[in-house]
Amino acid sequence: MGIFPYTSEPVAPLESAASNELELPRVVAENPARIVEIVDAMHDVVATRLAHPRRFRASQLKALERMLDAHQQDFIDALADDLGKGAVEAKLTEIDMVRAEIDHAQLHLSEWMESKAVKIPLALHPAAAKIEPQPLGVVLIIGAWNYPLQLMLAPLVAAIAAGNVAVLKPSELAPATSIALGKLIPQFLDQRAYAVVQGGAGTSKVLLEQQFDHIFYTGGEKVGRIVARAAAEHLTPVTLELGGKSPAVVMDGSHAAVARRLAYGKFMNAGQTCVAPDYVLAVGNAAETLEKQLAKAITGFYGKSPLESRDYGRIVNRAHFNRLVSYLEQGEVVIGGGYDEATLKIEPTVMINVDPDSPLMQEEIFGPILPIMKVESFDAAVRFINSRPNPLAAYLFSENPRLQSSFGDQVRAGAIVHNAPNLHLAVPSLPFGGVGASGMGSYHGRHGFERLSQMRPVMVKTAVVDTLKAIYPPYTWAKSKIIDRLL
């Protein structure tokens, strides 16, 4: 993984993670000098302005697109190895999401890079002022295991579009995808500007000790705090995409579409989605009808034996599997509840009669378990949500415009979405990010470009004629009146 001229020639199909792991050049904590060397080289590249020109940015976005096209099947196979994702889900939620980001960036790159003129006060005339986007420099991107391709490459699209160089640290908990990224990215992108660093927590620790111009982290709140503390040592700005317990308020559970959308949003990727509905607050009598509709929706999606469905994934590892299985004892299971230790699969599960103070309702579930809690009213649901940390998303299932407006006014969340969980991620022009405990900063589309840019102010004023005499001291009575009038 050196700093060499790049090639965009495709490479041979990847082997499995198990057979290919030893072939991949790796940088681990036991070799911190190599990490320092890579980061230092990136800073040297920033000084050359290699990644600044629009032509370079466009070429790298195009190269990333070619990588996805040429090796789509390799990534589908890797995602199947890591998470048991079916081919359609892998393409839809990972590969196509990144393609959409690339297409959006390619379409709008020139527009985003343009300087924007701004008005200036009359007292400062004649002059001109503008805001011009400038690259930050070296960006560290630390990816997550639940969407190991999308959550690594979507931030990279923003970094490339903004003219930055980047060091990428894929998740070691998704080793097949990590290996694929480590092997393919150097084949398609300029290795002087983009490097992939492999390894676990020790590697992340060494990386976080280095000086970066921005750190982009996707993952849990616990590690997010570690990243923020490390960044503070260098006064490095951070974007933290953290997650949390995203609620769904259901006013009427009798509609089949409500159950289908809840089931799809929740059980996609076996529930391992940061914006998945974490629990349902069913208002009034909505819970009983919702349970029946959810049972139909789950059977319709995954058949009578979901553990055997090719469209249903598995839990990432045994530690997460055991944690999720322990939740099954913290309430009454009304749908699903079965699991297979050998395959690390847990059935799509719906639970009722859960204790609000139990770990099931205190911790982010991040798995295929959906608790339903009954609440008396819409206002009671809002109070419940607001009594807990700010979620990454909050969902309301209601066609009532008044309730939709009230929900948005009262609930503080990274996103407010009505009647369609998770889909806001598929809109490149919408910002994606958290608030409070669910994260800081946002990206996607222009929002990612600006997040990873310095929106630098520039002002030009001639010195041939000094029009500022009126505001120079000494401040006489006449000058004071002129200043009041001008400003």
Side-chain angles (χ1 to χ4, degrees), residues 193-469:
Y194 310 103
V196 180
V197 175
Q198 306 279 3
T203 298
S204 295
K205 181 177 182 296
V206 176
L207 279 168
L208 290 171
E209 291 170 352
Q210 311 309 309
Q211 173 73 58
F212 290 95
D213 298 295
H214 195 97
I215 298 175
F216 196 112
Y217 168 76
T218 304
E221 182 181 345
K222 180 180 178 181
V223 178
R225 293 178 184 275
I226 295 173
V227 171
R229 281 195 293 269
E233 290 297 316
H234 298 287
L235 295 179
T236 300
V238 297
T239 298
L240 303 178
E241 304 295 349
L242 303 180
K245 295 183 74 66
S246 297
V249 177
V250 176
M251 301 301 297
D252 183 352
S254 65
H255 299 295
V258 171
R260 284 195 297 265
R261 291 181 184 186
L262 268 174
Y264 181 70
K266 176 61 178 181
F267 302 118
M268 172 197 302
N269 198 31
Q272 298 165 119
T273 302
C274 58
V275 293
D278 197 85
Y279 62 94
V280 172
L281 297 174
V283 177
N285 297 322
E288 288 76 10
T289 53
L290 181 61
E291 289 174 29
K292 296 176 183 178
Q293 294 291 356
L294 280 170
K296 294 178 182 178
I298 291 169
T299 301
F301 289 169
Y302 307 114
K304 294 183 178 180
S305 302
L307 299 185
E308 299 175 7
S309 172
R310 65 180 182 181
D311 296 320
Y312 186 65
R314 65 170 174 81
I315 307 307
V316 66
N317 59 32
R318 187 158 298 280
H320 283 284
F321 176 85
N322 291 338
R323 174 184 61 84
L324 291 166
V325 168
S326 73
Y327 288 158
L328 298 176
E329 302 175 357
Q330 297 175 17
E332 178 185 347
V333 174
V334 292
I335 300 172
Y339 54 87
D340 186 339
E341 293 186 11
T343 60
L344 299 182
K345 284 192 170 186
I346 300 174
E347 289 181 340
T349 299
V350 177
M351 299 179 66
I352 61 173
N353 298 328
V354 297
D355 183 348
D357 296 322
S358 66
L360 178 65
M361 288 302 297
Q362 294 292 321
E363 302 166 359
E364 184 178 8
I365 296 171
F366 222 64
I369 301 172
L370 183 64
I372 298 178
M373 298 186 64
K374 298 180 181 180
V375 291
E376 294 180 356
S377 65
F378 171 83
D379 291 337
V382 169
R383 286 195 298 272
F384 186 91
I385 296 169
N386 289 340
S387 69
R388 293 169 176 245
N390 304 136
L392 187 55
Y395 305 110
L396 173 66
F397 286 84
S398 171
E399 301 296 332
N400 187 323
R402 181 184 62 81
L403 291 182
Q404 292 179 357
S405 177
S406 180
F407 192 72
D409 287 344
Q410 296 185 65
V411 173
R412 190 164 184 254
I416 300 292
V417 183
H418 301 290
N419 302 314
N422 303 16
L423 291 189
H424 59 293
L425 272 72
V427 183
S429 53
L430 281 179
F432 172 67
V435 60
S438 57
M440 64 178 70
S442 60
Y443 72 117
H444 285 187
R446 181 168 203 139
H447 306 281
F449 174 88
E450 292 187 353
R451 183 68 180 174
L452 297 183
S453 298
Q454 179 205 359
M455 305 306 289
R456 185 172 69 182
V458 177
M459 184 171 174
V460 180
K461 185 170 177 62
T462 180
V464 175
V465 178
D466 196 352
T467 59
L468 299 178
K469 291 180 179 179

Side-chain angles (χ1 to χ4, degrees), residues 111-176:
E111 171 196 343
W112 294 346
M113 291 180 65
E114 287 179 357
S115 299
K116 291 186 176 180
V118 299
K119 295 181 179 180
I120 59 176
L122 180 62
L124 302 182
H125 280 220
K130 62 181 179 179
I131 299 171
E132 58 179 23
Q134 289 291 307
L136 292 177
V138 186
V139 176
L140 171 63
I141 302 173
I142 303 176
W145 55 262
N146 58 322
Y147 289 89
L149 185 73
Q150 180 208 140
L151 296 179
M152 176 59 64
L153 297 187
L156 177 60
V157 171
I160 292 172
N164 298 296
V165 304
V167 177
L168 287 73
K169 165 61 177 68
S171 174
E172 72 280 8
L173 298 183

Side-chain angles (χ1 to χ4, degrees), residues 169-183:
K169 165 61 177 68
S171 174
E172 72 280 8
L173 298 183
T177 307
S178 178
I179 288 169
L181 289 168
K183 185 172 184 178

